[in-house]
Structures are given as structure tokens and as C-alpha cells.
Coordinates of all heavy atoms in Angstrom, one line a residue:
M1 N 0.8 -1.2 0.0 CA 0.0 0.0 0.0 C 0.9 1.2 0.0 O 1.8 1.4 0.8 CB -0.9 0.0 1.2 CG -1.9 1.0 1.3 SD -3.2 0.5 2.4 CE -3.6 2.0 3.2
F2 N 0.6 2.2 -0.9 CA 1.4 3.4 -1.0 C 0.7 4.5 -0.3 O -0.4 4.9 -0.7 CB 1.6 3.7 -2.5 CG 2.5 4.8 -2.8 CD1 3.9 4.6 -2.5 CD2 2.1 6.0 -3.2 CE1 4.8 5.6 -2.8 CE2 2.9 7.0 -3.5 CZ 4.3 6.8 -3.3
M3 N 1.3 5.1 0.7 CA 0.6 6.1 1.4 C 1.5 7.4 1.4 O 2.7 7.3 1.3 CB 0.4 5.7 2.9 CG -0.5 4.5 3.0 SD -0.8 4.1 4.7 CE -1.6 5.6 5.3
F4 N 0.8 8.5 1.4 CA 1.5 9.8 1.5 C 1.5 10.3 2.9 O 0.6 10.0 3.7 CB 0.8 10.8 0.6 CG 1.0 10.6 -0.9 CD1 0.2 9.7 -1.6 CD2 2.0 11.3 -1.5 CE1 0.4 9.5 -2.9 CE2 2.3 11.1 -2.8 CZ 1.4 10.2 -3.6
S5 N 2.4 11.1 3.3 CA 2.5 11.6 4.6 C 2.8 13.1 4.5 O 3.3 13.6 3.5 CB 3.6 11.0 5.4 OG 4.8 11.1 4.8
V6 N 2.5 13.9 5.5 CA 2.8 15.3 5.5 C 4.2 15.5 6.0 O 4.6 15.0 7.1 CB 1.8 16.1 6.4 CG1 2.2 17.6 6.4 CG2 0.4 15.9 5.9
N7 N 5.0 16.2 5.2 CA 6.4 16.5 5.6 C 6.2 17.7 6.6 O 5.8 18.8 6.3 CB 7.2 17.0 4.4 CG 8.6 17.2 4.7 OD1 8.9 17.7 5.8 ND2 9.5 16.9 3.8
A8 N 6.7 17.4 7.9 CA 6.6 18.4 8.9 C 7.3 19.7 8.6 O 6.9 20.8 9.0 CB 7.0 17.8 10.3
W9 N 8.4 19.6 7.9 CA 9.2 20.8 7.7 C 8.6 21.7 6.6 O 8.5 22.9 6.8 CB 10.6 20.4 7.2 CG 11.5 21.6 7.0 CD1 12.2 22.3 8.0 CD2 11.9 22.2 5.8 NE1 12.9 23.3 7.4 CE2 12.7 23.2 6.1 CE3 11.6 21.9 4.5 CZ2 13.3 24.1 5.1 CZ3 12.1 22.8 3.5 CH2 12.9 23.8 3.8
S10 N 8.1 21.1 5.5 CA 7.5 22.0 4.5 C 6.0 22.0 4.4 O 5.4 22.8 3.8 CB 8.1 21.5 3.1 OG 7.5 20.2 2.9
G11 N 5.4 21.0 5.1 CA 3.9 21.0 5.0 C 3.4 20.4 3.7 O 2.2 20.4 3.5
L12 N 4.3 19.9 2.9 CA 3.8 19.3 1.6 C 3.5 17.8 1.8 O 4.1 17.1 2.6 CB 4.9 19.5 0.6 CG 5.3 20.9 0.2 CD1 6.5 20.9 -0.8 CD2 4.1 21.6 -0.5
W13 N 2.6 17.3 1.0 CA 2.3 15.9 1.0 C 3.4 15.2 0.1 O 3.5 15.5 -1.1 CB 1.0 15.6 0.4 CG -0.1 16.1 1.3 CD1 -0.7 17.3 1.3 CD2 -0.8 15.3 2.3 NE1 -1.7 17.4 2.3 CE2 -1.7 16.1 2.9 CE3 -0.6 14.0 2.7 CZ2 -2.5 15.7 4.0 CZ3 -1.4 13.6 3.8 CH2 -2.4 14.4 4.4
T14 N 4.1 14.3 0.7 CA 5.2 13.6 -0.1 C 5.1 12.1 0.2 O 4.7 11.7 1.3 CB 6.6 14.1 0.3 OG1 6.7 13.9 1.7 CG2 6.8 15.5 0.0
P15 N 5.5 11.3 -0.8 CA 5.6 9.8 -0.6 C 6.6 9.5 0.4 O 7.6 10.3 0.6 CB 5.9 9.3 -1.9 CG 5.8 10.4 -2.9 CD 5.8 11.7 -2.2
P16 N 6.5 8.4 1.1 CA 7.6 8.1 2.1 C 8.9 7.9 1.5 O 9.1 7.4 0.4 CB 7.1 6.7 2.6 CG 5.7 6.6 2.3 CD 5.4 7.5 1.1
G17 N 9.9 8.5 2.1 CA 11.3 8.4 1.6 C 11.6 9.5 0.6 O 12.8 9.7 0.2
L18 N 10.7 10.3 0.2 CA 10.9 11.4 -0.8 C 10.7 12.7 0.0 O 9.6 13.0 0.5 CB 10.0 11.4 -2.0 CG 10.1 12.4 -3.0 CD1 11.5 12.3 -3.7 CD2 9.0 12.4 -4.0
H19 N 11.7 13.5 0.1 CA 11.7 14.8 0.8 C 11.5 15.9 -0.2 O 11.9 15.9 -1.3 CB 13.0 15.0 1.6 CG 13.2 13.9 2.6 ND1 12.4 13.9 3.8 CD2 14.0 12.9 2.7 CE1 12.8 12.8 4.5 NE2 13.8 12.2 3.8
A20 N 10.8 16.9 0.3 CA 10.4 18.1 -0.6 C 11.7 18.7 -1.1 O 11.8 19.2 -2.2 CB 9.6 19.0 0.1
L21 N 12.8 18.7 -0.3 CA 14.0 19.4 -0.7 C 14.7 18.6 -1.9 O 15.4 19.2 -2.6 CB 15.0 19.4 0.5 CG 14.6 20.5 1.6 CD1 15.6 20.4 2.7 CD2 14.5 21.8 1.0
A22 N 14.4 17.3 -2.0 CA 14.9 16.6 -3.1 C 14.4 17.1 -4.5 O 15.0 16.9 -5.5 CB 14.7 15.1 -3.0
L23 N 13.2 17.7 -4.4 CA 12.6 18.2 -5.6 C 13.0 19.6 -6.0 O 12.6 20.1 -7.0 CB 11.1 18.1 -5.5 CG 10.5 16.7 -5.3 CD1 9.0 16.8 -5.0 CD2 10.8 15.8 -6.5
A24 N 13.7 20.3 -5.0 CA 14.0 21.7 -5.2 C 14.8 22.0 -6.5 O 14.5 23.0 -7.2 CB 14.8 22.2 -4.0
P25 N 15.8 21.2 -6.9 CA 16.5 21.5 -8.2 C 15.6 21.5 -9.4 O 15.9 22.1 -10.4 CB 17.6 20.4 -8.2 CG 17.8 19.9 -6.9 CD 16.4 20.0 -6.2
A26 N 14.5 20.7 -9.4 CA 13.7 20.6 -10.5 C 12.6 21.7 -10.6 O 12.0 21.9 -11.6 CB 12.9 19.2 -10.5
L27 N 12.4 22.4 -9.5 CA 11.4 23.4 -9.5 C 11.6 24.5 -10.5 O 10.6 24.9 -11.2 CB 11.3 24.0 -8.0 CG 10.1 24.9 -7.8 CD1 8.8 24.1 -8.0 CD2 10.2 25.4 -6.3
P28 N 12.8 25.1 -10.7 CA 12.9 26.1 -11.7 C 12.6 25.6 -13.1 O 12.0 26.3 -13.9 CB 14.4 26.6 -11.6 CG 14.8 26.2 -10.3 CD 14.0 25.0 -9.9
L29 N 13.0 24.4 -13.4 CA 12.7 23.8 -14.7 C 11.2 23.6 -14.9 O 10.6 23.8 -16.0 CB 13.4 22.4 -14.9 CG 14.9 22.5 -15.0 CD1 15.5 21.1 -15.0 CD2 15.3 23.3 -16.2
L30 N 10.5 23.2 -13.8 CA 9.0 23.0 -13.9 C 8.3 24.4 -14.1 O 7.3 24.4 -14.8 CB 8.5 22.3 -12.6 CG 8.8 20.8 -12.5 CD1 8.4 20.3 -11.1 CD2 8.2 20.0 -13.6
I31 N 8.8 25.4 -13.4 CA 8.3 26.7 -13.6 C 8.4 27.2 -15.0 O 7.5 27.7 -15.6 CB 8.9 27.7 -12.6 CG1 8.5 27.3 -11.2 CG2 8.6 29.1 -12.9 CD1 9.2 28.1 -10.1
L32 N 9.6 27.0 -15.6 CA 9.8 27.4 -17.0 C 9.0 26.6 -18.0 O 8.4 27.2 -18.9 CB 11.3 27.3 -17.4 CG 12.3 28.2 -16.7 CD1 13.7 27.9 -17.0 CD2 11.9 29.7 -17.2
W33 N 8.9 25.3 -17.7 CA 8.0 24.4 -18.5 C 6.6 24.9 -18.5 O 5.9 25.0 -19.6 CB 8.2 23.0 -18.0 CG 7.3 22.0 -18.7 CD1 6.1 21.5 -18.3 CD2 7.6 21.3 -19.9 NE1 5.6 20.6 -19.2 CE2 6.5 20.4 -20.2 CE3 8.7 21.3 -20.8 CZ2 6.5 19.6 -21.3 CZ3 8.6 20.5 -21.9 CH2 7.5 19.6 -22.2
E34 N 6.0 25.1 -17.4 CA 4.6 25.5 -17.2 C 4.4 26.9 -17.8 O 3.5 27.1 -18.5 CB 4.2 25.5 -15.7 CG 2.9 26.2 -15.4 CD 1.7 25.4 -15.9 OE1 1.9 24.2 -16.2 OE2 0.6 26.0 -15.9
G35 N 5.4 27.8 -17.6 CA 5.2 29.2 -18.1 C 5.3 29.2 -19.7 O 4.5 29.9 -20.3
F36 N 6.1 28.4 -20.3 CA 6.2 28.3 -21.7 C 4.9 27.8 -22.3 O 4.3 28.5 -23.2 CB 7.3 27.3 -22.1 CG 7.4 27.0 -23.6 CD1 7.9 28.0 -24.5 CD2 6.9 25.9 -24.1 CE1 7.9 27.7 -25.8 CE2 6.9 25.6 -25.4 CZ 7.4 26.5 -26.3
W37 N 4.4 26.6 -21.9 CA 3.2 26.1 -22.4 C 2.0 26.9 -22.1 O 1.1 27.1 -22.9 CB 3.0 24.6 -22.0 CG 4.0 23.7 -22.6 CD1 5.1 23.1 -22.0 CD2 4.0 23.3 -24.0 NE1 5.7 22.4 -23.0 CE2 5.1 22.5 -24.2 CE3 3.2 23.6 -25.1 CZ2 5.4 21.9 -25.4 CZ3 3.5 23.1 -26.3 CH2 4.6 22.3 -26.5
K38 N 1.9 27.4 -20.9 CA 0.8 28.3 -20.5 C 0.7 29.5 -21.3 O -0.3 29.9 -21.8 CB 0.8 28.6 -19.0 CG -0.4 29.4 -18.5 CD -0.4 29.6 -17.0 CE -0.9 28.4 -16.4 NZ -1.5 28.7 -15.1
G39 N 1.9 30.2 -21.5 CA 1.9 31.4 -22.3 C 1.5 31.2 -23.7 O 0.7 31.9 -24.3
L40 N 2.0 30.1 -24.3 CA 1.6 29.7 -25.7 C 0.1 29.4 -25.8 O -0.6 30.0 -26.7 CB 2.4 28.5 -26.1 CG 2.6 28.3 -27.6 CD1 3.2 29.5 -28.3 CD2 3.5 27.1 -27.8
A41 N -0.5 28.7 -24.9 CA -1.9 28.4 -24.9 C -2.7 29.6 -24.7 O -3.8 29.8 -25.3 CB -2.2 27.3 -23.9
L42 N -2.3 30.5 -23.7 CA -3.1 31.7 -23.5 C -3.0 32.6 -24.7 O -4.1 33.2 -25.1 CB -2.5 32.5 -22.3 CG -2.7 31.8 -20.9 CD1 -1.9 32.6 -19.8 CD2 -4.2 31.9 -20.6
W43 N -1.9 32.7 -25.4 CA -1.8 33.5 -26.6 C -2.8 33.0 -27.7 O -3.5 33.8 -28.3 CB -0.4 33.6 -27.1 CG -0.1 34.5 -28.2 CD1 -0.1 35.8 -28.2 CD2 0.1 34.1 -29.6 NE1 0.1 36.3 -29.4 CE2 0.3 35.3 -30.3 CE3 0.2 32.9 -30.2 CZ2 0.5 35.3 -31.7 CZ3 0.5 32.9 -31.6 CH2 0.6 34.1 -32.3
H44 N -2.8 31.7 -27.9 CA -3.6 31.2 -28.9 C -5.1 31.3 -28.6 O -5.9 31.6 -29.4 CB -3.3 29.7 -29.2 CG -2.1 29.6 -30.1 ND1 -2.1 29.8 -31.5 CD2 -0.8 29.2 -29.9 CE1 -1.0 29.6 -32.0 NE2 -0.1 29.3 -31.1
S45 N -5.5 31.0 -27.3 CA -6.9 31.1 -26.9 C -7.3 32.5 -26.9 O -8.5 32.8 -27.3 CB -7.1 30.5 -25.5 OG -6.4 31.2 -24.5
G46 N -6.5 33.5 -26.6 CA -6.9 34.9 -26.7 C -7.1 35.3 -28.1 O -8.0 36.1 -28.4
R47 N -6.2 34.9 -29.0 CA -6.3 35.3 -30.4 C -7.6 34.7 -31.1 O -8.1 35.2 -32.0 CB -5.1 34.9 -31.2 CG -3.9 35.8 -30.8 CD -2.7 35.8 -31.7 NE -3.1 35.9 -33.1 CZ -2.8 36.9 -33.9 NH1 -2.2 38.0 -33.4 NH2 -3.0 36.9 -35.2
R48 N -8.0 33.5 -30.6 CA -9.1 32.8 -31.1 C -10.4 33.3 -30.5 O -11.5 32.9 -30.8 CB -9.0 31.3 -30.9 CG -7.9 30.7 -31.8 CD -7.7 29.2 -31.3 NE -6.7 28.6 -32.1 CZ -7.0 27.8 -33.1 NH1 -8.2 27.5 -33.4 NH2 -6.0 27.3 -33.9
G49 N -10.3 34.2 -29.4 CA -11.5 34.7 -28.7 C -12.2 33.6 -27.9 O -13.4 33.8 -27.5
Q50 N -11.4 32.7 -27.4 CA -12.0 31.6 -26.5 C -11.7 32.0 -25.1 O -10.8 31.5 -24.4 CB -11.3 30.3 -26.8 CG -11.6 29.8 -28.2 CD -10.9 28.6 -28.6 OE1 -9.7 28.3 -28.2 NE2 -11.5 27.7 -29.5
S51 N -12.6 32.9 -24.6 CA -12.4 33.5 -23.2 C -12.5 32.4 -22.1 O -11.9 32.5 -21.1 CB -13.4 34.6 -23.0 OG -14.7 34.2 -23.2
V52 N -13.4 31.4 -22.3 CA -13.6 30.4 -21.3 C -12.2 29.6 -21.1 O -11.8 29.4 -20.0 CB -14.7 29.4 -21.6 CG1 -14.8 28.3 -20.7 CG2 -16.0 30.2 -21.6
W53 N -11.7 29.2 -22.3 CA -10.4 28.5 -22.2 C -9.3 29.4 -21.6 O -8.4 28.9 -20.9 CB -10.0 28.0 -23.6 CG -10.5 26.6 -23.9 CD1 -11.5 26.3 -24.7 CD2 -10.0 25.4 -23.3 NE1 -11.7 24.9 -24.7 CE2 -10.8 24.4 -23.8 CE3 -9.0 25.1 -22.4 CZ2 -10.6 23.1 -23.5 CZ3 -8.8 23.8 -22.0 CH2 -9.6 22.8 -22.6
F54 N -9.3 30.7 -21.9 CA -8.3 31.6 -21.4 C -8.4 31.6 -19.9 O -7.4 31.5 -19.2 CB -8.6 33.0 -22.0 CG -7.5 34.0 -21.7 CD1 -6.4 34.1 -22.6 CD2 -7.6 34.8 -20.6 CE1 -5.4 35.0 -22.3 CE2 -6.6 35.7 -20.4 CZ -5.5 35.8 -21.2
V55 N -9.6 31.8 -19.3 CA -9.7 31.8 -17.9 C -9.3 30.5 -17.2 O -8.6 30.4 -16.2 CB -11.2 32.1 -17.5 CG1 -11.4 32.0 -16.0 CG2 -11.5 33.6 -17.9
I56 N -9.7 29.3 -17.8 CA -9.4 28.0 -17.3 C -7.8 27.9 -17.3 O -7.3 27.4 -16.3 CB -10.0 26.9 -18.1 CG1 -11.5 26.9 -17.9 CG2 -9.4 25.6 -17.8 CD1 -12.3 26.0 -18.8
L57 N -7.2 28.3 -18.4 CA -5.8 28.2 -18.5 C -5.0 29.0 -17.5 O -3.9 28.7 -17.0 CB -5.3 28.5 -19.9 CG -5.7 27.4 -20.9 CD1 -5.5 28.0 -22.3 CD2 -4.8 26.1 -20.7
I58 N -5.6 30.2 -17.1 CA -5.0 31.1 -16.2 C -5.1 30.5 -14.7 O -4.2 30.5 -14.0 CB -5.6 32.5 -16.2 CG1 -5.0 33.2 -17.4 CG2 -5.3 33.2 -14.9 CD1 -5.5 34.7 -17.5
V59 N -6.3 29.9 -14.4 CA -6.6 29.5 -13.1 C -5.9 28.1 -12.8 O -5.4 27.9 -11.7 CB -8.1 29.4 -12.9 CG1 -8.4 28.8 -11.5 CG2 -8.7 30.8 -13.0
V60 N -6.0 27.2 -13.7 CA -5.5 25.8 -13.4 C -4.0 25.7 -13.7 O -3.6 26.0 -14.8 CB -6.4 24.8 -14.2 CG1 -5.9 23.4 -14.0 CG2 -7.8 25.0 -13.9
N61 N -3.3 25.2 -12.7 CA -1.9 24.9 -12.9 C -1.7 23.4 -13.0 O -2.0 22.7 -12.0 CB -1.1 25.4 -11.7 CG -1.1 26.9 -11.8 OD1 -0.8 27.5 -12.8 ND2 -1.3 27.5 -10.6
T62 N -1.2 22.9 -14.1 CA -1.1 21.4 -14.3 C 0.3 21.0 -14.8 O 0.4 20.0 -15.5 CB -2.2 20.9 -15.3 OG1 -2.0 21.6 -16.5 CG2 -3.6 21.1 -14.7
I63 N 1.3 21.8 -14.6 CA 2.6 21.5 -15.1 C 2.7 21.4 -16.6 O 3.3 20.5 -17.1 CB 3.3 20.4 -14.3 CG1 3.1 20.5 -12.8 CG2 4.7 20.2 -14.7 CD1 3.6 19.3 -12.1
G64 N 1.8 22.1 -17.3 CA 1.9 22.1 -18.7 C 0.9 21.2 -19.4 O 0.8 21.2 -20.6
I65 N 0.3 20.3 -18.6 CA -0.5 19.2 -19.3 C -1.8 19.8 -19.9 O -2.0 19.5 -21.1 CB -0.9 18.2 -18.2 CG1 0.4 17.5 -17.7 CG2 -1.9 17.2 -18.8 CD1 0.1 16.6 -16.5
L66 N -2.5 20.7 -19.2 CA -3.7 21.3 -19.7 C -3.4 22.2 -21.0 O -4.1 22.1 -22.0 CB -4.5 22.0 -18.7 CG -5.9 22.6 -19.1 CD1 -6.8 21.4 -19.6 CD2 -6.5 23.3 -18.0
P67 N -2.4 23.0 -20.9 CA -2.1 23.8 -22.1 C -1.7 23.0 -23.3 O -2.1 23.3 -24.4 CB -0.9 24.7 -21.6 CG -1.0 24.8 -20.2 CD -1.6 23.5 -19.7
I68 N -1.0 21.9 -23.1 CA -0.6 21.0 -24.2 C -1.9 20.3 -24.8 O -2.1 20.3 -26.0 CB 0.4 20.0 -23.8 CG1 1.7 20.7 -23.5 CG2 0.6 18.9 -24.8 CD1 2.8 19.8 -22.8
I69 N -2.8 19.9 -23.9 CA -4.1 19.3 -24.4 C -4.9 20.4 -25.1 O -5.4 20.1 -26.2 CB -4.9 18.8 -23.2 CG1 -4.2 17.5 -22.6 CG2 -6.3 18.5 -23.6 CD1 -4.8 17.1 -21.3
Y70 N -4.9 21.6 -24.6 CA -5.6 22.7 -25.4 C -5.0 22.9 -26.8 O -5.8 22.9 -27.7 CB -5.6 24.0 -24.6 CG -6.1 25.1 -25.4 CD1 -7.5 25.3 -25.7 CD2 -5.2 26.0 -26.0 CE1 -8.0 26.3 -26.5 CE2 -5.7 27.0 -26.9 CZ -7.1 27.1 -27.1 OH -7.5 28.1 -27.9
L71 N -3.7 23.1 -26.8 CA -3.1 23.4 -28.1 C -3.3 22.3 -29.1 O -3.5 22.6 -30.3 CB -1.6 23.7 -27.9 CG -1.3 25.0 -27.1 CD1 0.2 25.0 -26.7 CD2 -1.6 26.2 -28.0
F72 N -3.1 21.1 -28.8 CA -3.1 20.0 -29.8 C -4.4 19.3 -29.9 O -4.8 18.8 -31.0 CB -2.0 19.0 -29.5 CG -0.6 19.6 -29.6 CD1 0.1 19.8 -28.4 CD2 -0.1 20.0 -30.8 CE1 1.4 20.3 -28.5 CE2 1.1 20.6 -30.9 CZ 1.9 20.7 -29.8
A73 N -5.3 19.2 -28.9 CA -6.6 18.5 -29.0 C -7.7 19.4 -29.2 O -8.6 19.1 -30.0 CB -6.8 17.7 -27.7
V74 N -7.7 20.6 -28.6 CA -8.9 21.5 -28.8 C -8.6 22.5 -29.9 O -9.5 22.7 -30.8 CB -9.1 22.3 -27.4 CG1 -10.2 23.3 -27.6 CG2 -9.4 21.3 -26.3
A75 N -7.5 23.1 -30.0 CA -7.2 24.1 -31.0 C -6.7 23.4 -32.3 O -6.6 24.1 -33.3 CB -6.1 25.1 -30.6
H76 N -6.4 22.1 -32.3 CA -5.9 21.4 -33.4 C -4.7 22.0 -34.1 O -4.7 22.1 -35.4 CB -7.1 21.1 -34.4 CG -8.3 20.4 -33.8 ND1 -8.2 19.1 -33.4 CD2 -9.5 20.9 -33.5 CE1 -9.4 18.8 -32.8 NE2 -10.2 19.8 -32.9
L77 N -3.8 22.5 -33.4 CA -2.6 23.1 -34.0 C -1.5 22.0 -34.2 O -1.4 21.0 -33.5 CB -2.0 24.1 -33.0 CG -2.9 25.3 -32.8 CD1 -2.2 26.2 -31.7 CD2 -3.0 26.1 -34.1
K78 N -0.8 22.2 -35.2 CA 0.4 21.4 -35.5 C 1.6 22.1 -34.9 O 1.6 23.3 -34.6 CB 0.6 21.2 -37.0 CG -0.6 20.5 -37.7 CD -0.3 20.4 -39.2 CE -1.5 19.6 -39.7 NZ -2.2 20.4 -40.8
V79 N 2.7 21.3 -34.7 CA 3.9 21.9 -34.1 C 4.4 23.1 -34.9 O 4.8 24.1 -34.4 CB 5.0 20.8 -34.0 CG1 6.3 21.4 -33.5 CG2 4.5 19.7 -33.1
S80 N 4.3 23.0 -36.2 CA 4.7 24.1 -37.1 C 3.9 25.4 -36.9 O 4.3 26.5 -37.3 CB 4.8 23.7 -38.6 OG 3.4 23.3 -39.0
E81 N 2.7 25.2 -36.4 CA 1.8 26.4 -36.3 C 1.8 27.0 -34.9 O 1.2 28.1 -34.7 CB 0.3 25.9 -36.5 CG 0.1 25.4 -37.9 CD -1.3 24.8 -38.0 OE1 -1.8 24.2 -37.0 OE2 -1.9 24.9 -39.1
L82 N 2.6 26.5 -34.0 CA 2.6 27.0 -32.6 C 3.1 28.4 -32.5 O 2.7 29.2 -31.7 CB 3.5 26.1 -31.7 CG 2.9 24.7 -31.3 CD1 3.9 23.9 -30.5 CD2 1.6 24.9 -30.6
F83 N 4.1 28.8 -33.4 CA 4.7 30.1 -33.3 C 4.3 31.0 -34.4 O 4.9 32.1 -34.6 CB 6.2 30.0 -33.2 CG 6.7 29.2 -32.0 CD1 7.1 27.9 -32.1 CD2 6.6 29.7 -30.7 CE1 7.4 27.2 -31.0 CE2 7.0 29.0 -29.6 CZ 7.4 27.7 -29.7
S84 N 3.3 30.6 -35.2 CA 2.9 31.5 -36.3 C 1.9 32.5 -35.8 O 1.2 32.2 -34.8 CB 2.3 30.7 -37.5 OG 1.1 30.1 -37.1
K85 N 1.7 33.6 -36.4 CA 0.8 34.6 -36.0 C -0.6 34.4 -36.5 O -1.6 35.1 -36.2 CB 1.3 36.0 -36.4 CG 2.5 36.4 -35.6 CD 2.9 37.8 -35.8 CE 4.1 38.1 -34.9 NZ 4.5 39.5 -35.0
K86 N -0.8 33.4 -37.4 CA -2.1 33.1 -38.0 C -2.8 32.3 -36.9 O -2.3 31.5 -36.2 CB -2.0 32.3 -39.2 CG -1.5 33.1 -40.4 CD -1.7 32.4 -41.7 CE -0.9 31.2 -42.0 NZ -1.0 30.7 -43.3
T87 N -4.2 32.5 -36.9 CA -5.0 31.7 -35.9 C -5.7 30.6 -36.7 O -6.0 30.6 -37.8 CB -6.0 32.6 -35.2 OG1 -6.8 33.3 -36.1 CG2 -5.2 33.5 -34.2

């Protein structure tokens, strides 16, 4: 059985044997990853006038998963279209 416990030092829920400080080096990379995909998805949803998706993308933080789903499954963009100014 896999159980999570509260780390008394950081207050974060972590699996046994995994300390929050062990994840610290990856945090800047995760922030950049999320910022890149979120910014790209916000830009495309704003240009398309999809205000509901715009608000959802601003509020929900999913480490880039939701923005990637939006860009490729909802907006049906190809990789070559990600940085074009056409909508």
C-alpha cells in the first residue's frame, strides 16, 4: 500500500522516503516548462476569442498538461503552427 505523509518541515504531501528538498532542483525547470506552455496556450486562446479556455488556463496549474491538451486536441494546432501569428 502506497501512502502519502505530510512533511513536517515543508507541510507538503510527499511519498515516504521522498523529501520536498529533493525536488528543489527541478522546481525552476518546472516553472519554466509551465510558463512556456501556459503562455503559448493563453496567446492562442486569446487570439481565437476563446475566453472560457483563457480563464481556465490562467486558473488551473497542471505543469503544462492542460495547455498542451488545449493546443493539440482543442485548437488542433500542428507543431509548425505553434509560433505563427495566424490563428
Side-chain angles (χ1 to χ4, degrees):
M1 186 160 144
F2 188 71
M3 296 183 61
F4 286 87
S5 62
V6 176
N7 185 324
W9 184 78
S10 66
L12 297 175
W13 290 89
T14 57
L18 180 65
H19 299 286
L21 290 177
L23 300 174
L27 193 57
L29 293 174
L30 289 174
I31 291 170
L32 289 173
W33 176 264
E34 170 72 10
F36 171 78
W37 287 110
K38 184 177 276 204
L40 203 54
L42 287 171
W43 185 72
H44 279 286
S45 66
R47 291 196 44 112
R48 291 170 178 261
Q50 297 174 326
S51 57
V52 172
W53 270 105
F54 191 86
V55 171
I56 290 170
L57 289 164
I58 281 182
V59 173
V60 178
N61 292 312
T62 59
I63 311 175
I65 296 169
L66 185 60
I68 291 170
I69 290 170
Y70 168 77
L71 290 169
F72 296 112
V74 176
H76 302 292
L77 294 173
K78 297 179 179 124
V79 175
S80 61
E81 298 172 325
L82 287 177
F83 299 104
S84 71
K85 292 190 178 184
K86 289 197 287 186
T87 56

